[in-house]
Structure formats: structure tokens, C-alpha cells
Amino acid sequence: MQNDTLNDIAAALIAARRSGIAADETPWKDTPLSPDDAYALQERIGAELGWAVDPDAAGTWKGGGPTTSSVATFAQLPAAWVRPSPGRFDVKDFHKLGIEIEVAFRLARDVTAVDLAARAVHEPAALFDAMTVSIELVDFRWKGEAQAPAILRLVDVQSNGALVLGEWVPIRPVDWAGQVATLRIDGKEVGRYQGAHPCGDPMWMALQWLQHAVARHDRLAAGSVLTTGSWCGMVWLEGPAEVHAAFDGIGEALLTLV
């Protein structure tokens, strides 16, 4: 991809982040960006905005993929928008208010290419020590929002707005098909979901995440977090709300929008 095009896309998203005004994706709707282009743009934008990947520090990543036979995609989230439960945010800082409830996993130790070659290909779950409930707030920096091309949404940290992480508990085997999750908004139950992760086991993408991060940054630091996809689809909010997510046997998280 030509540098001028990549420069223009980066400049548009940086301006959108700084101004709070969504960027027009129309000039690049048909641009054939590759995943490598998208990840390079993520890193360039992160560096400009002060939340670049630091391989010596733990970070929080969003992972996604429609099926277990697909190639998962990833984005490291801006640290300022990742908060422990109860997390509180101001509605005016976002364009849209989409809610996803998820399970996140925490890396127990630093991981390098040597580690991947030695063990993670066979036992990626053995490299994690804890799990928790997470609530993602989905937002867009493109005017087209969910209709913007998927590759441009990947550049825009996979349309992440913010993330709240619950209390960590030791990782253990889970019957994901029987796992029950509940979403409450302003105290009212709006959804109860059993075995609702679209790929069955939310840990399915762990090895791809490890490989992706190590290939791009040489190592992944202990304490890094992977959040793994919605159990409730997308639930849209109209304004201020209190959002509570609970996963039986794992925990809960609370996100408040004021």
C-alpha cells in the first residue's frame, strides 16, 4: 500500500480521536488494505496518541473472529480507556454506546518466540493464570460506524470505545457450553445467555494472539490481557445507564455511563 494512502488514513483517525468528530471513511472504502497494513496503522496511530505497544509492559488486547476456522484479529486498547470495575465514563466522550459482555484472560508470564516453539502450540492455556468478566463499550471513529469496511474498523482498534475488567479469579476448566452469563441494565435483566460465545470456547484465539503479538513486538509481557468476544451480541444504549454483567462461577463487572 502506498505510504500517502496510509498517511492519510492515520491522519484521519488521529484527528477524529483528538477532536471527537468522526472521520469520513469514503475515500478509502474500496482501498485494498492488508491486515499488515491495518496493524501497522494501529501502531502508528497509537504512537502518535501516546498509547503505543510497549513490549516491556502489560497491555490489554481485544480479539475477535467469526469462527474457529477464521484468522482472528487483534488490537491493543488505549490504557486510559481500560478501567477496573466499577468503571465510570461520560456519555459525551462517545459517539455510540454499544455493549458487549465477555470473558477476559490474563497472561501468567512473559512469552517470546522461544516459549511459543517450546510449549504454547500444544498448551496455550497453560500460559494464563486468571480470568475475569469484562464489559466492552463499542464506539466508532468512522462516520459509517458499523457499515465502514471491516479493515478500516480493524485499524480503529476494532471499534473499541472502552473496557471494564472485573475482579480476577484463578483460571480453571469451564464447561463453556453450559456457562451462563447475565446482562442487566439499570437493574433490569435484559438478557440471559448460555453457551453463547460465537466460537464455543472463548480461549480458541489465544494461540493466534500470542503468535500475533510476539511476531510484531518480539515478546508479550506477563499480566497482558486478552478479551475474547461478546456473549450478548451488541446491545445499544441511548444514554446514561448502569450496566452489570455476571458470569456464573467467574464473577461480575459494572460499567456506569453518566
Side-chain angles (χ1 to χ4, degrees):
M1 180 55 56
Q2 293 183 351
N3 284 337
D4 287 349
T5 299
L6 298 180
N7 290 341
D8 290 345
I9 294 171
L13 281 176
I14 290 167
R17 285 274 184 178
R18 286 175 169 164
S19 69
I21 300 171
D24 181 6
E25 77 279 7
T26 303
W28 309 290
K29 286 188 72 171
D30 299 316
T31 300
L33 294 175
S34 70
D36 281 344
D37 291 329
Y39 292 129
L41 283 167
Q42 283 182 4
E43 291 162 14
R44 182 189 304 189
I45 293 165
E48 179 69 23
L49 294 173
W51 35 269
V53 173
D54 178 356
D56 293 322
T60 301
W61 298 68
K62 175 177 178 175
T67 70
T68 54
S69 61
S70 63
V71 176
T73 55
F74 304 98
Q76 186 173 18
L77 306 183
W81 298 102
V82 179
R83 300 178 187 173
S85 177
R88 185 180 177 92
F89 300 92
D90 196 321
V91 168
K92 68 177 177 57
D93 291 328
F94 305 95
H95 300 100
K96 299 285 284 187
L97 302 170
I99 292 296
E100 296 183 350
I101 62 173
E102 313 184 18
V103 179
F105 300 94
R106 187 179 68 194
L107 198 61
R109 48 165 289 183
D110 291 356
V111 175
T112 66
V114 172
D115 297 305
L116 294 181
R119 60 186 290 192
V121 170
H122 305 291
E123 297 181 272
L127 295 171
F128 295 81
D129 67 351
M131 58 186 176
T132 193
V133 175
S134 63
I135 304 174
E136 182 182 7
L137 183 62
V138 175
D139 192 18
F140 304 98
R141 268 64 56 178
W142 295 117
K143 287 182 179 178
E145 299 177 349
Q147 303 308 310
I151 196 71
L152 291 179
R153 286 182 276 125
L154 176 59
V155 175
D156 183 27
V157 292
Q158 296 196 131
S159 304
N160 172 263
L163 188 76
V164 169
L165 296 169
E167 184 176 347
W168 292 100
V169 297
I171 199 166
R172 58 172 176 76
V174 174
D175 172 15
W176 294 112
Q179 176 67 52
V180 173
T182 306
L183 172 63
R184 293 180 179 273
I185 297 176
D186 293 331
K188 179 181 178 181
E189 184 175 307
V190 298
R192 184 175 176 83
Y193 315 91
Q194 179 175 337
H197 191 279
C199 296
D201 182 351
M203 184 63 90
W204 78 272
M205 70 182 72
L207 177 56
Q208 290 190 47
W209 173 56
L210 296 169
Q211 292 170 330
H212 166 83
V214 169
R216 297 199 69 87
H217 309 295
D218 296 327
R219 64 191 289 272
L220 193 56
S224 293
V225 173
L226 173 66
T227 190
T228 55
S230 181
W231 285 64
C232 65
M234 186 77 70
V235 176
W236 294 103
L237 304 178
E238 297 297 324
E242 184 175 270
V243 180
H244 178 266
F247 282 70
D248 291 359
I250 299 176
E252 61 184 4
L254 182 67
L255 181 155
T256 302
L257 286 160
V258 296

